[in-house]
Structures are given as C-alpha cells and as structure tokens.
Amino acid sequence: GNSFLHFIPSPMAKGRSALEIVADIFSAAKKSGKEIDDVGYNDVADLVIGTDISVQATNKILKLFKKYDEQLKERGLVDFDDQEILSFRILEDHPGYLDKYGYQYVIIDEFQDTSLTQMEFVKYLKLMKSLKGLAVVGDPAQAIYGFRNTSPEYIIHFETYLNRPFQHISASRSQLPYNPEVHVQNVELTKNFRSYQEILDLGEAILKCNGKDEEVLHVNAQRGSSGIRPIVNGYVSTKDEYADIVRIAGLLHEQGTAW
C-alpha cells in the first residue's frame, strides 16, 4: 500500500516511510516484554489498525523481527527499547539488585510524562533498603508525551499506582517481590519564580477552558506584575511564526532592547 512507497523519510511522502513503520512495529514488539517467538499480531495491532498495512504484511514484518534481534546480538548491540526490557530482566530476576548502589534520596522530575514501565521501575526504587525518601515532581496540565504511552494518571493517582502489586515487564518467569503499602504526602507548589503574574493568569484561564474535572491550581508569581497584558498571536504555519518573531525582535531592538 501507500505506506511502503518510500523506504526512508522523504519530502515526497505524505505518511511515514517503510523504515519508520518497521521500526515502530519492532519497538512495539520489544515493549511487549515477550520472548521473540511469542510476539504476535495482537502485540502490534494498535500501530496498523486504520492504516493500509494488512495483517499479512504485519506478520511478514514480525518474521523479520527475529532476524533483526539476532543481528543485534551478533554485533553486541542493544537498541533504545532493549534498555528498558533488559533492565527489568535484571530487576525481576534479582529483586535486590539496586541495593548495592545505596541511594538514600530519589527525585524524579517531569513525572506527568510517565509510562507504565517507568512506574514499575519507581516501585523497585521504593524497595531499596537504603532509601530514606522518594519524591516525584510534575504538572498534569503539562503532559505532552501521550504518543509514547505516557499518562498524567500516574502522578494524579501516584499513591495508588505506587502501592499496586508488581507486574512482569520482561519475559522473566521469576516470582515478583511483595510491594508493601506506603503513605504519600502531596505538596502543591504554588510559587512561580520564572514568569510575571499576567502570564500565569493567562495560562490559568486557558486551562480552565479544558473542561476537565481537576481543579486548576492558582499560582503566584514571585516577580509580581509586569504591568503589560500578554498578546497571543496565531499563525497558519511555522514559517509565518518564525518571520513574526524576527519582526518583533527587530522592533524591540529599535526601541532600545539589546540583542
């Protein structure tokens, strides 16, 4: 079909290239955590349903997956998705593996963009004998990596997910450790040190238009007010936006602002 007209990304292509499609299917296969021979169409179906890639074509690609994995091993290589799966193979076969590092405090930033796999990894960090405190920081309203199977649910309901039983991520058959319940203290950060109040008020007004049930937190600017109302410009294309940024920068420079 049209999905395979171009082998690599091309300005002429309307959709993804064949190489990108195959890479995505291989990635989904690895993320399934299954042994290569156990991976089937259902493990990658979300990527091809609604496209012109047939079940038959997908199964042919999956047959190449084993050959691809064999070539990686022959060359002593791992790809990006292998890093997570192989890490979990170690943790699932050796639950106390992280104890040797002696970490006492762990802080994880941008937690609104967390995936199921990453949430499971946090649970292993929680079990470290040396751990004295673990904190996650994030803003559900800034979640932008849903296409990478992340969800703000993991920070909104952090205590619930942190205390759930472990689940297998790799193809390990080892018995998973017990996950004892712990209490989580929620701290709302309402002081902003970056922006003026007008910018924060505009962001708050926009978030209230989302129609979501969560309360929009009011944030106070420690810099106070700038006395200037924000101006929001819309552009048809990125090219138009960049041109206007250059124009505005030029005007500001003419008015005395240093480059």
Side-chain angles (χ1 to χ4, degrees):
N2 292 327
S3 298
F4 292 95
L5 287 177
H6 299 272
F7 179 68
I8 59 174
S10 165
M12 305 294 293
K14 292 183 179 179
R16 295 178 300 159
S17 65
L19 193 61
E20 289 173 304
I21 292 165
V22 172
D24 284 347
I25 289 174
F26 283 2
S27 175
K30 285 182 181 287
K31 286 176 180 175
S32 72
K34 296 181 178 179
E35 297 286 3
I36 294 176
D37 292 332
D38 296 331
V39 176
Y41 175 79
N42 289 336
D43 296 304
V44 301
D46 288 346
L47 289 171
V48 296
I49 290 175
T51 70
D52 63 349
I53 305 171
S54 66
V55 175
Q56 184 182 15
T58 305
N59 286 329
K60 285 184 177 181
I61 292 171
L62 286 174
K63 287 182 179 178
L64 293 173
F65 175 53
K66 187 172 184 178
K67 186 175 182 180
Y68 165 71
D69 194 66
E70 288 172 352
Q71 289 196 17
L72 282 178
K73 289 175 180 175
E74 285 175 9
R75 302 178 190 188
L77 301 174
V78 295
D79 63 24
F80 186 80
D81 295 305
D82 282 322
Q83 294 178 85
E84 281 191 343
I85 300 301
L86 293 175
S87 296
F88 270 94
R89 190 63 188 257
I90 294 172
L91 294 175
E92 289 171 358
D93 286 343
H94 308 279
Y97 181 83
L98 294 173
D99 287 337
K100 66 180 182 179
Y101 293 104
Y103 294 126
Q104 295 182 19
Y105 298 96
V106 176
I107 302 176
I108 307 171
D109 199 8
E110 304 292 358
F111 205 77
Q112 72 276 356
D113 294 315
T114 297
S115 66
L116 169 64
T117 306
Q118 291 164 338
M119 187 68 233
E120 287 295 303
F121 189 80
V122 174
K123 284 153 66 174
Y124 277 98
L125 292 172
K126 166 190 159 186
L127 290 188
M128 289 190 298
K129 293 176 181 177
S130 56
L131 191 71
K132 294 181 179 178
L134 183 149
V136 301
V137 186
D139 179 1
Q142 294 186 46
I144 57 172
Y145 286 98
F147 63 92
R148 218 171 58 189
N149 296 320
T150 69
S151 172
E153 286 294 304
Y154 294 114
I155 190 170
I156 294 172
H157 304 293
F158 179 63
E159 184 168 355
T160 299
Y161 285 103
L162 186 68
N163 291 322
R164 283 186 174 178
F166 280 95
Q167 57 180 294
H168 278 110
I169 299 298
S170 79
S172 169
R173 299 290 190 267
S174 300
Q175 184 175 351
L176 295 176
Y178 169 69
N179 187 26
E181 285 196 14
V182 295
H183 173 65
V184 172
Q185 181 181 356
N186 185 43
V187 179
E188 293 181 340
L189 305 177
T190 58
K191 294 181 179 180
N192 179 287
F193 296 88
R194 178 182 294 175
S195 303
Y196 290 110
Q197 193 63 48
E198 288 83 358
I199 295 290
L200 300 178
D201 290 345
L202 175 63
E204 183 178 328
I206 293 171
L207 288 174
K208 286 180 178 177
C209 296
N210 282 342
K212 295 186 177 180
D213 296 332
E214 291 91 21
E215 181 184 354
V216 178
L217 201 64
H218 181 71
V219 180
N220 298 303
Q222 301 308 290
R223 299 175 70 181
S225 171
S226 66
I228 303 172
R229 290 184 63 188
I231 298 173
V232 180
N233 294 323
Y235 301 95
V236 174
S237 68
T238 304
K239 183 179 178 181
D240 292 341
E241 180 185 0
Y242 289 170
D244 208 30
I245 290 171
V246 172
R247 180 186 66 81
I248 293 170
L251 288 174
L252 290 171
H253 184 61
E254 289 175 7
Q255 295 167 8
T257 303
W259 284 121

